[in-house]
Amino acid sequence: MFKRIIFSLLLTVSVSILWAQQYYLFTGTYTNGTSEGIYVYRFDASTGKVEGVDTARGIEQPSYLAISEKGDYLYAVSETGGDKPGQITAYSFDKSIGKLKLLNTRPSLGDHPCYITVSGNRKWVIAGNYSGGNIVAYKVNEDGSLSDQHQLINHEGKSINSERQEAPHVHATVITPDGDYLLAPDLGTDKIMVYRFKENARRNPLSKAKVPYVDIHPGSGPRHLAFHPNRKWVYLMEEMTGEVSGYRYKNGKLQLFDNIDGHPAEYKGSRGSADIHISPDGKNLYTSNRYEANNIGIFRIDPRNGKLKNTGFQDVIGQKPRNFVIEPSGKYVLVANQDTNDIRFFRRDSSTGSLTPTETVITVGSPVCLKLFPY
């Protein structure tokens, strides 16, 4: 009897582990080339096999995606502007068959939205408009669609680069792990704006925090953020300098404790860093570097104080790596190469953090955002 119980438990654990290795891969793209919209794939991390499942057509420039906590809804920005104002689109997602269904679309109320997030209980969807220099928060209906109710917050200011920092350029809208604040890196003003976030608010969930912003070194161009699994450290990717800064986080306040160059010492090319993520085990931080660099920077995180040490760079075997994603077990890193129209799969060594190219490659037009969800 005892042996049967042990066997049953082991079988349950084994099945759970195997189940956790199956993922849906959602791919946001630019549609001014060969892409037709948002692509959905099945990815088996135990074998490395990938197969296409669905394509959501009829959406322009879906450059950034957000998935609800339960995986049953997906939200996408349309990074358009001028004569075609930016938009936010809501989809339901059938996890049993891997299909997206269009729910509705709302204006982003600013040009070129480039980032979107959905709150933990799926009550608000919040997007950042890059050219518009503002943040919009939409209340979500029970069926996952976007309501008409919204809050719009305009940023003000500029910084020292007259060509790229002539006005605010919101580049991310990140809800903190405690769910109480929203951090919004603004490339145009060299600030991380900090907002109090009340998910259960009936309207206007965002308000200025007691410390409403953190100044970043002039000319840095803050872009994306990544929280460490311990929730106490958060790291900033600075697009224009290619540097990474580490901050201690507590109750909406950020305190700088580290800054490191994200490129090799001998690198002389253009700088245009894009994305930043931390491995699930908290040991490594990774960054993507575009233009002549075309690599993933690999850093070791000191478990005692959070400080970073560069341990190398991995060529992405493509051009203009944009967004990337770390598979939840930490076994794989998937990289979207915008200009070579491919998604490259790298195997990660959990002991060293190093990356090794695999034979798995997806060909898709201008991939710029990757999201994984288990099934």
Side-chain angles (χ1 to χ4, degrees):
M1 180 68 177
F2 180 75
K3 288 182 178 180
R4 285 201 300 270
I5 293 173
I6 293 298
F7 176 79
S8 178
L9 287 172
L10 289 174
L11 182 61
T12 301
V13 171
S14 298
V15 170
S16 298
I17 291 172
L18 180 62
W19 189 257
Q21 291 180 315
Q22 321 297 316
Y23 302 96
Y24 283 114
L25 169 63
F26 302 88
T27 303
T29 67
Y30 284 129
T31 54
N32 48 6
T34 60
S35 170
E36 296 183 276
I38 300 169
Y39 294 82
V40 185
Y41 304 89
R42 283 194 183 96
F43 170 47
D44 187 338
S46 65
T47 64
K49 182 181 178 181
V50 178
E51 61 176 345
V53 181
D54 192 24
T55 303
R57 297 176 174 88
I59 180 172
E60 287 190 74
Q61 311 289 67
S63 66
Y64 209 84
L65 313 173
I67 306 168
S68 64
E69 192 172 80
K70 294 182 179 179
D72 44 2
Y73 297 96
L74 181 140
Y75 301 90
V77 298
S78 285
E79 194 177 328
T80 54
D83 294 338
K84 295 182 177 181
Q87 293 185 319
I88 301 173
T89 300
Y91 298 86
S92 62
F93 182 67
D94 188 333
K95 291 179 285 186
S96 65
I97 58 175
K99 299 292 184 180
L100 289 167
K101 180 182 178 181
L102 175 65
L103 295 176
N104 70 341
T105 298
R106 291 286 182 265
S108 71
L109 303 177
D111 284 350
H112 303 107
C114 64
Y115 199 100
I116 190 166
T117 191
V118 54
S119 63
N121 289 329
R122 194 178 49 77
K123 293 186 177 181
W124 295 92
V125 164
I126 306 170
N129 291 298
Y130 181 84
S131 296
N134 55 23
I135 294 170
V136 63
Y138 271 100
K139 195 171 184 63
V140 179
N141 294 319
E142 294 234 349
D143 66 355
S145 63
L146 300 170
S147 73
D148 290 324
Q149 187 176 318
H150 65 272
Q151 179 182 12
L152 185 67
I153 297 176
N154 292 300
H155 286 189
E156 297 180 354
K158 58 184 179 179
S159 195
I160 63 172
N161 187 314
S162 59
E163 293 184 0
R164 298 202 57 197
Q165 297 180 306
E166 80 298 344
H169 296 304
V170 179
H171 224 312
T173 51
V174 178
I175 296 173
T176 56
D178 54 27
D180 293 332
Y181 294 88
L182 180 89
L183 305 181
D186 191 313
L187 180 144
T189 63
D190 281 322
K191 287 179 170 62
I192 299 175
M193 303 301 294
V194 184
Y195 296 95
R196 193 81 168 85
F197 176 58
K198 294 184 178 180
E199 185 172 22
N200 292 323
R202 292 187 177 182
R203 58 178 62 250
N204 297 342
L206 299 171
S207 59
K208 284 186 178 181
K210 289 183 179 180
V211 180
Y213 62 84
V214 175
D215 281 314
I216 313 301
H217 185 77
S220 298
R223 183 180 171 101
H224 283 187
L225 292 165
F227 270 89
H228 190 275
N230 69 12
R231 301 157 61 113
K232 297 187 299 183
W233 306 326
V234 60
Y235 298 86
L236 170 69
M237 180 78 263
E238 299 168 10
E239 176 178 335
M240 295 168 62
T241 61
E243 295 178 346
V244 179
S245 292
Y247 295 84
R248 294 184 186 88
Y249 170 80
K250 187 175 182 180
N251 297 330
K253 296 179 181 178
L254 301 172
Q255 182 181 19
L256 180 68
F257 69 82
D258 197 18
N259 177 267
I260 188 171
D261 192 354
H263 289 76
E266 66 276 10
Y267 181 72
K268 303 299 181 184
S270 303
R271 294 186 174 230
S273 299
D275 205 9
I276 183 169
H277 293 286
I278 295 172
S279 59
D281 58 18
K283 294 180 179 179
N284 298 104
L285 179 145
Y286 298 87
T287 62
S288 59
N289 299 307
R290 296 172 290 178
Y291 308 128
E292 296 95 326
N294 289 317
N295 64 35
I296 297 293
I298 305 169
F299 301 84
R300 189 76 174 173
I301 301 174
D302 190 321
R304 300 166 299 177
N305 54 29
K307 291 193 173 183
L308 302 174
K309 179 181 180 181
N310 177 247
T311 59
F313 298 87
Q314 172 60 51
D315 188 288
V316 296
I317 320 176
Q319 294 179 8
K320 209 170 186 180
R322 192 69 171 265
N323 186 226
F324 65 97
V325 65
I326 303 174
E327 181 259 327
S329 77
K331 186 178 179 181
Y332 288 95
V333 174
L334 286 59
V335 181
N337 287 321
Q338 178 183 343
D339 284 0
T340 45
N341 303 311
D342 57 59
I343 301 169
R344 294 277 174 177
F345 289 61
F346 296 84
R347 189 178 293 274
R348 173 177 173 267
D349 186 322
S350 60
S351 61
T352 65
S354 64
L355 304 177
T356 303
T358 71
E359 295 181 356
T360 304
V361 182
I362 298 174
T363 299
V364 60
S366 303
V368 290
C369 183
L370 304 177
K371 298 291 181 180
L372 287 171
F373 193 87
Y375 69 89

